[in-house]
Amino acid sequence: MKEKNSIGASVVLSGNEAIAQGAYEAGVAVASGYPGTPSSEILAELSRYGDIYTEWAPNEKVALEVVLGASFAGTRAMATMKHVGLNVAADPLFTAAYTGVLGGLVIVNADDPDMHSSQNEQDNRNYALAAKLPMLEPCDAAEAKLFLKQAFHYSEMFDTPVILRVTTRVCHVRGIVKIEPRDTLTVTPGIHRMPEKLVMLPGNARKRRRDMESRIQQLKSHAETCPENRIEWGDKKRGFITSGVSYLYVKEAFPDASILKLGMVWPLPADLIRKFAASVDEVIVVEELDPYLETHVRALGISCRGKDIISPVGELSAASVRKAVLGQNGQQSIFDAGPLPFRPPTLCPGCPHRALFYVLSKLGVYVTGDIGCYTLGALPPLSAMDTCVCMGAGIGNAHGIEKALGVENAIGKVVAVIGDSTFFHSGITGLINIVYNKGCSTVIVLDNRTTGMTGHQHHPSTGRTISGEKTKEIDIAALCTALGVEHVVTVNPNDLEKTEAAIRSEVNRREPSVIIALAPCVLLPEMKTLASGTRFVSRTENCKGCRACLRLGCPAIEWLPWSDEQIPPGSKQKGISCINASLCYGCGQCAVLCKFGAITGTEAIDG
Amino acid sequence: MDKTVSILICGVGGQGILLASEVISGVCLKAGYDVRQSEVHGMAQRGGSVISHIRFGAKVYSPIIDPGTADFVVSFELLETLRYAHFAHEGSTIITNTQRILPVAVASGAVEYPKNIVERLRTLPVRVIALDAFSEAKSLGDPRMVNMILVGALSELLPFDGSLWREVLERRLPAKILPSNIKAFDFGRASVQKK
């Protein structure tokens, strides 16, 4: 359990840690979510407080339904997810706007401009507008805590879920935060039967729809004076309208300008915006991604600059804002290194996914994939993933390809891959579809016993809850069998030969099949202690320079080119492979590939 | 200090950059400054190029450092020093570990690792401090202490008391590894001359 920060102390916290602290101070009773960068650390951190119920749900839709239930029971509740997670949770989201809440309900939504760790950079402020839900947007860690607590207050005051929208540069920026005491709550937990409010039959929903309109009117007038929206008067030549982290870039670039900082980004304060615009010579809207505020400002009949000078793509910075407004940045560059070797993220040494993708690459099958560490299997030299759209998509994609081409043309050519956590998130329904609609796709579950990419969160088949308590371990093989898949095989992907044989046989089968490629992530703490045994070394006298081992793309295997003098006369060999002992994990995938006995196991000599 | 000080830390995922950043920002807080520190997680971290931005001063706004504005560039790996040297301005200090970690494209022989990096940096109007932190950390008992050696080197150039650094290290590091890490920190601190 976590050592609690003392009340009144100033501490350096990341935005995510500040949100967890805010949830604690707000008296949240139940919190649920699914890991997703940049939101993952919020729940992980909150679970360490000890006296708040937290859980990893299998997906974001379930998480939102859970916290909605907790709200219906009269307690404060919070869901956390990344931006694309809100797509999954959109179904309950839109109708939760109708039911409203009993205990305060906040959905923390983390957008990822510039796609540091995402497949798209959708702007989820649009969800607030579409679902008619108030949205607060903080600019830093201190405001994230403040706004989260305020969001709970507004949720109960206006009978509505509230969205707290953060971005990567709020979640993962550390700043100074003041620790405050816990709120005293006014709502009473219990069973509350209120069918007119909570049963959204058309008759009830029509009434709630009208109630929503009056709520929106109240929120609109509240937005005009709420402390989250404020004007900082300065030089009136330029007036900036901005929100979130963009505010910090404006302050850095134009410290003396007038700024309308919008902390509540839906609904927007029309009169405040008009008043501000009327007092400055030129209005400039600075926001990342969509022209969301700009569209609203223009709809009020105010002329402004915005996306005509500021990119709708990626993150902003003080320099990009300065350049957009002034036409130049003013910073002189002292250095240009020229083109450099890229250093993209890569599968770790010893990663079992590498072995699996090596085999898929060798077989040349079309691989429909999705989101996880294993998406890195798409990068050279493995280059063994052909599609990646969203969590679970590979399974539907494979089935669609088979139905489009017909069994005769597709058989043996396509496989779907999905991670273990992702399988629970959104793979099961796709598999049911294959069985039900007489498909014959092969699905490979890359079971590394954890949610790897986001930092090793537990999931339904790890046998542990978020807090590390023991729980039922859901058996993926038994689950697939229960769904009607008659051919379920488990292989260890580190055994390249058996894995290849299993894939060859299953992809050519005219029935649905599942291969579970089971080998734990080598970064799991228990794997670190297991890894003490063997390391692999290259015997350079045996190496023929054939480069077979290099096709694994393992960071521990290095090619040492020979100089012209080193190349023996008449030899085609251009160098040798060498294993970097400090990086080698000892998986042995490479040893099998060497036909010349140049790679052999040895005792680890780690210092 | 009226002017905001910007420190860019770069290297390869897994080198302990985030812990180093946490220690530095912790000291800035203790010294009474406003501080912001920005980093990225998730896919961006897996053995890829990693950067962390630290800015401190009376009041800090932007959490990220723009190219040409870093007062200090502290780099954990030589190729990454080259990649991020353009964040420095005239008169900045670049502290670089001379360790080379090969990107996969270099390891597999597809492209070459750039040559004469330190020499190229020395032609710039900046102070260059090059340290073999990896060998030093290994000889002190744990190659993972590269981060503490580099933090130690930086500490000598920042306006904070040694006791503040000690206090934050004691709070942040597990007792078991604290003595060796303090040794690494002290080594880094001693290897840099104040200007």
Side-chain angles (χ1 to χ4, degrees):
Chain A
M1 205 188 294
K2 187 185 153 68
E3 184 193 337
K4 295 205 173 80
N5 292 307
S6 43
I7 294 166
S10 287
V11 289
V12 178
L13 297 181
S14 70
N16 283 348
E17 290 167 335
I19 290 169
Q21 175 67 28
Y24 173 77
E25 289 176 11
V28 164
V30 174
S32 184
Y34 184 81
T37 315
S39 72
S40 313
E41 298 85 2
I42 303 169
L43 265 195
E45 178 70 13
L46 192 58
S47 73
R48 298 173 61 226
Y49 281 71
D51 46 1
I52 295 171
Y53 177 79
T54 51
E55 64 173 32
W56 290 126
N59 69 31
E60 296 84 355
K61 176 179 186 291
V62 174
L64 181 48
E65 289 157 353
V66 167
V67 297
L68 194 55
S71 164
F72 292 162
T75 66
R76 284 191 167 180
M78 178 175 85
T80 69
M81 59 198 68
K82 70 182 293 174
H83 60 328
V84 287
L86 197 55
N87 300 338
V88 179
D91 198 359
L93 181 80
F94 278 69
T95 306
Y98 284 60
T99 62
V101 304
L102 272 85
L105 176 62
V106 178
I107 298 127
V108 179
N109 163 88
D111 284 12
D112 188 17
D114 210 30
M115 300 170 270
H116 294 280
S117 193
S118 301
Q119 67 271 38
N120 78 27
E121 61 174 6
Q122 66 189 44
D123 187 333
N124 276 9
R125 292 177 301 173
N126 295 306
Y127 267 114
L129 177 72
K132 302 178 173 61
L133 289 173
M135 176 180 270
L136 301 185
E137 187 180 22
C139 72
D140 65 7
E143 250 187 27
K145 179 165 86 75
L146 180 71
F147 282 16
L148 178 73
K149 291 163 75 176
Q150 196 70 325
F152 279 107
H153 176 58
Y154 290 161
S155 174
E156 284 159 8
M157 188 167 143
F158 295 101
D159 183 15
T160 176
V162 176
I163 304 173
L164 184 80
R165 187 229 187 197
V166 284
T167 57
T168 302
R169 296 297 180 187
V170 174
C171 296
H172 292 161
V173 171
R174 304 163 68 80
I176 298 174
V177 177
K178 195 158 183 197
I179 304 302
E180 292 168 301
R182 278 183 115 166
D183 293 351
T184 321
L185 302 185
T186 49
V187 276
T188 329
I191 294 285
H192 303 278
R193 277 215 173 86
M194 310 166 81
E196 305 79 16
K197 174 175 163 59
L198 302 182
V199 181
M200 287 304 96
L201 279 165
N204 291 338
R206 282 185 200 112
K207 181 171 174 307
R208 289 298 294 174
R209 177 70 190 86
R210 285 191 294 275
D211 292 346
M212 274 169 81
E213 283 308 300
S214 67
R215 171 212 296 160
I216 292 165
Q217 290 316 313
Q218 289 164 24
L219 277 162
K220 276 184 174 163
S221 63
H222 180 77
E224 298 290 350
T225 55
C226 75
E228 291 75 35
N229 295 332
R230 65 165 192 263
I231 295 175
E232 296 174 7
W233 289 116
D235 179 4
K236 295 193 174 171
K237 193 174 127 210
R238 291 192 191 96
F240 291 94
I241 300 178
T242 187
S243 72
V245 74
S246 301
Y247 161 78
L248 298 176
Y249 300 140
V250 171
K251 280 299 271 191
E252 185 80 30
F254 297 96
D256 303 322
S258 293
I259 299 176
L260 169 56
K261 180 186 183 300
L262 296 168
M264 185 183 276
V265 293
W266 198 87
L268 286 161
D271 290 345
L272 189 66
I273 293 171
R274 281 197 194 95
K275 174 182 139 192
F276 179 76
S279 313
V280 295
D281 297 347
E282 183 188 24
V283 175
I284 303 169
V285 182
V286 178
E287 56 191 326
E288 288 178 333
L289 307 182
D290 293 352
Y292 170 88
L293 299 174
E294 183 184 342
T295 303
H296 191 85
V297 169
R298 286 186 191 279
L300 295 173
I302 297 164
S303 71
C304 64
R305 310 206 70 179
K307 292 298 165 187
D308 56 326
I309 51 171
I310 289 171
S311 173
V313 180
E315 294 185 309
L316 300 179
S317 65
S320 70
V321 171
R322 202 180 289 119
K323 188 157 186 247
V325 175
L326 303 177
Q328 46 149 348
N329 177 20
Q331 296 296 341
Q332 297 273 316
S333 179
I334 58 160
F335 186 57
D336 179 7
L340 295 177
F342 290 114
R343 194 190 296 274
T346 174
L347 295 171
C348 306
C351 178
H353 297 333
R354 174 175 291 108
L356 194 272
F357 282 105
Y358 175 82
V359 173
L360 292 174
S361 172
K362 184 180 169 193
L363 294 176
V365 285
Y366 189 90
V367 180
T368 56
D370 68 2
I371 316 287
C373 278
Y374 50 95
T375 317
L376 296 171
L379 300 179
L382 297 167
S383 309
M385 190 177 289
D386 297 286
T387 68
C388 166
V389 178
C390 67
M391 302 274 284
I395 297 181
N397 291 166
H399 181 68
I401 290 169
E402 179 208 316
K403 292 298 178 189
L405 302 182
V407 182
E408 293 312 321
N409 293 319
I411 194 82
K413 293 180 186 156
V414 184
V415 296
V417 295
I418 188 165
D420 44 348
S421 187
T422 315
F423 181 71
F424 290 107
H425 180 282
S426 45
I428 298 167
T429 42
L431 187 58
I432 289 172
N433 186 52
I434 291 172
V435 174
Y436 169 54
N437 287 308
K438 300 180 161 190
C440 61
S441 295
T442 299
V443 175
I444 303 177
V445 181
L446 296 139
D447 186 0
N448 66 351
R449 312 296 296 148
T450 190
T451 318
M453 179 64 80
T454 47
H456 294 129
Q457 292 80 9
H458 285 292
H459 65 62
S461 77
T462 65
R464 299 272 173 185
T465 68
I466 190 171
S467 50
E469 270 177 66
K470 273 200 144 171
T471 182
K472 268 256 193 270
E473 213 173 286
I474 294 175
D475 182 335
I476 297 177
L479 177 60
C480 294
T481 305
L483 296 181
V485 181
E486 289 177 16
H487 308 278
V488 181
V489 292
T490 300
V491 294
N492 178 352
N494 289 310
D495 186 335
L496 296 171
E497 285 169 18
K498 280 196 184 142
T499 302
E500 185 178 332
I503 296 173
R504 274 188 195 282
S505 120
E506 296 308 324
V507 291
N508 286 303
R509 198 186 282 286
R510 287 167 187 255
E511 283 175 275
S513 58
V514 171
I515 299 171
I516 300 169
L518 175 65
C521 172
V522 295
L523 295 186
L524 284 170
E526 58 267 35
M527 295 305 288
K528 283 188 177 163
T529 54
L530 286 175
S532 54
T534 311
R535 291 291 179 281
F536 284 80
V537 292
S538 39
R539 294 164 56 182
T540 51
E541 70 277 12
N542 286 9
C543 181
K544 300 279 182 255
C546 73
R547 294 170 174 255
C549 55
L550 292 169
R551 273 181 236 135
L552 281 170
C554 176
I557 307 178
E558 297 169 4
W559 174 249
L560 301 181
W562 281 343
S563 62
D564 290 343
E565 300 83 68
Q566 281 173 295
I567 298 174
S571 167
K572 283 185 184 160
Q573 188 170 352
K574 297 278 191 285
I576 53 166
S577 283
C578 186
I579 295 174
N580 182 334
S582 67
L583 292 177
C584 177
Y585 177 83
C587 67
Q589 293 166 12
C590 55
V592 188
L593 299 179
C594 184
K595 299 276 178 279
F596 306 102
I599 301 177
T600 50
T602 178
E603 285 295 301
I605 38 159
D606 293 1
Chain B
M1 193 174 306
D2 283 345
K3 188 188 165 290
T4 297
V5 176
S6 297
I7 306 165
L8 188 89
I9 307 191
C10 59
V12 178
Q15 281 194 296
I17 291 165
L18 303 189
L19 174 61
S21 308
E22 240 183 85
V23 169
I24 299 164
S25 48
V27 171
C28 297
L29 169 76
K30 281 226 173 292
Y33 289 110
D34 188 19
V35 60
R36 292 189 194 273
Q37 183 246 318
S38 182
E39 61 200 33
V40 287
H41 296 197
M43 178 164 279
Q45 234 185 338
R46 292 270 171 268
S49 169
V50 170
I51 60 172
S52 162
H53 310 245
I54 301 170
R55 306 187 73 224
F56 71 92
K59 176 75 191 152
V60 180
Y61 291 107
S62 173
I64 58 173
I65 300 170
D66 290 313
T69 68
D71 303 295
F72 298 92
V73 174
V74 182
S75 173
F76 285 46
E77 200 274 345
L78 214 45
L79 170 58
E80 298 311 306
T81 316
L82 202 53
R83 198 185 310 283
Y84 294 108
H86 68 285
F87 275 81
H89 56 75
E90 199 174 328
S92 316
T93 301
I94 296 179
I95 301 175
T96 182
N97 181 11
T98 54
Q99 183 188 356
R100 306 192 321 164
I101 299 174
L102 307 188
V104 167
V106 173
S108 67
V111 292
E112 272 189 36
Y113 196 96
K115 295 191 173 72
N116 308 322
I117 293 177
V118 174
E119 291 70 19
R120 283 178 71 185
L121 296 172
R122 289 207 195 279
T123 65
L124 305 180
V126 297
R127 181 180 181 196
V128 177
I129 298 169
L131 295 171
D132 185 359
F134 183 70
S135 306
E136 217 40 71
K138 248 178 28 189
S139 69
L140 287 171
D142 187 344
R144 283 175 296 183
M145 299 191 303
V146 160
N147 59 355
M148 285 306 129
I149 293 178
L150 294 169
V151 170
L154 174 71
S155 75
E156 188 63 21
L157 304 175
L158 294 179
F160 309 129
D161 264 9
S163 60
L164 276 186
W165 292 95
R166 189 64 69 100
E167 218 179 294
V168 171
L169 288 173
E170 279 167 8
R171 211 186 135 77
R172 184 58 188 76
L173 295 172
K176 211 173 77 182
I177 61 162
L178 181 66
S180 56
N181 274 267
I182 287 192
K183 229 183 260 176
F185 175 86
D186 288 343
F187 171 84
R189 196 168 163 89
S191 61
V192 170
Q193 297 294 312
K194 271 206 172 80
K195 248 194 174 166

